[in-house]
Amino acid sequence: MKTIEVLYSEFGNMYGEVYNAMFLDKASEEIEVVYTSLHREPHFLNHKIDMIYMTNIRDGKTYVILEELKKYKDRLAEMIENETIFLLTGNALELFGSYILENGQKTEGLGLFNYYVEKDFTIKYASWVKGWFNDIEIIGHRNQFSKCHNIEQPFIQVTDGSGSDIDSTDSKIEGIHYKNFFATYLLGPFLIMNPLFTKYLLGLLGIDQMNFEEPVMKAYQKRMEYFHKPDARFIMDHNG
């Protein structure tokens, strides 16, 4: 049995991202999902965990959760280096970087990676993003108040839409990938929209079959047909 721990999902069901965990739970009978709420001891401290998932966090709880995770920084770093699978969607990735800059105030992150984040709640960046991870074509929706800079280990090579460093016109990278650590601002729910990547994650877990593959692949193919049309719209003036 493979164990996936979902952290703080009570603050993270924006845009339906908690359904990524539910999708993984239903994808194989070999998966057990454990949910950990805020201020409860994480399961990964005293148990073997095969994968950690964190979803998009309600902005009012970002710094509360950051302080909670700082208690476990060394253990998280150890797990990443030992190739435990991590998947972060939405703004959850902001916690693992160097710092967050908001309203002129700098808050130190977990410091597990060198990227940093600028937040400005007067501007929302909304767009579709299409790109590639290895030979897997990825699609997702960006809906955020943040820009992520200094990414040294990118996840997705962007072909349409904006990269994580939104202000840079030549930025064609999105998210972070290091060993088995994957983080992306893209929503969807991300795994349901990208079943080929879900199969890739299942493969990392040692699972070679995915339940419901036929219907989710049909939906993925239909969606990709639209986004490959010449008039497909990706950027919405960065403001929705």
Side-chain angles (χ1 to χ4, degrees):
M1 187 68 71
K2 304 298 182 180
T3 303
I4 299 174
E5 183 167 13
V6 181
L7 297 176
Y8 319 131
S9 61
E10 69 269 33
F11 304 114
N13 195 26
M14 297 175 68
Y15 311 107
E17 286 300 290
V18 76
Y19 284 93
N20 287 319
M22 296 179 183
F23 185 44
L24 288 171
D25 193 17
K26 299 296 184 182
S28 172
E29 290 73 21
E30 300 176 49
I31 289 176
E32 174 190 29
V33 176
V34 177
Y35 291 85
T36 296
S37 58
L38 188 62
H39 304 310
R40 300 294 295 270
E41 182 177 88
H43 201 66
F44 64 72
L45 284 184
N46 298 302
H47 300 83
K48 182 183 181 301
I49 292 294
D50 299 287
M51 178 175 169
I52 296 287
Y53 174 59
M54 283 189 67
T55 180
N56 198 59
I57 302 164
R58 229 168 41 228
D59 285 294
K61 290 294 181 180
T62 298
Y63 298 111
V64 176
I65 291 174
L66 176 58
E67 290 307 308
E68 186 76 7
L69 287 179
K70 284 180 178 179
K71 302 174 187 176
Y72 316 117
K73 174 181 174 178
D74 291 343
R75 176 61 179 144
L76 290 167
E78 177 185 41
M79 293 170 69
I80 292 169
E81 290 300 323
N82 289 337
E83 301 193 355
T84 298
I85 301 166
F86 280 72
L87 176 63
L88 314 179
T89 60
N91 61 6
L93 70 82
E94 298 176 0
L95 310 181
F96 286 69
S98 178
Y99 63 87
I100 301 169
L101 187 64
E102 180 182 344
N103 296 328
Q105 183 174 345
K106 182 177 176 181
T107 301
E108 299 295 328
L110 290 173
L112 300 181
F113 297 93
N114 291 329
Y115 62 85
Y116 65 94
V117 171
E118 290 182 273
K119 296 178 77 75
D120 182 351
F121 284 101
T122 67
I123 303 173
K124 177 179 281 191
Y125 303 98
S127 70
W128 287 96
V129 175
K130 181 162 66 71
W132 292 88
F133 166 68
N134 295 342
D135 60 348
I136 299 172
E137 194 165 27
I138 300 286
I139 192 74
H141 180 246
R142 177 190 308 291
N143 197 343
Q144 66 204 64
F145 296 96
S146 307
K147 295 176 287 186
C148 187
H149 307 293
N150 196 36
I151 294 174
E152 298 172 343
Q153 300 115 331
F155 174 18
I156 298 164
Q157 296 295 321
V158 174
T159 57
D160 295 278
S162 57
S164 296
D165 188 350
I166 293 168
D167 280 348
S168 176
T169 57
D170 60 353
S171 174
K172 289 298 179 182
I173 57 174
E174 207 291 325
I176 296 91
H177 171 218
Y178 172 73
K179 294 191 174 182
N180 287 335
F181 179 96
F182 301 89
T184 176
Y185 274 112
L186 302 188
L187 307 167
F190 183 75
L191 291 183
I192 296 173
M193 290 192 71
N194 294 286
L196 290 176
F197 182 72
T198 304
K199 285 190 69 176
Y200 175 85
L201 285 185
L202 291 174
L204 292 179
L205 288 167
I207 298 170
D208 58 7
Q209 296 290 328
M210 182 175 74
N211 295 335
F212 316 113
E213 180 172 352
E214 183 177 353
V216 295
M217 280 304 302
K218 283 183 178 178
Y220 170 78
Q221 290 160 0
K222 190 71 175 178
R223 192 157 40 246
M224 283 303 186
E225 285 178 13
Y226 170 78
F227 282 108
H228 277 277
K229 290 181 178 180
D231 60 347
R233 188 181 182 199
F234 287 87
I235 303 296
M236 298 176 283
D237 300 326
H238 282 174
N239 296 298

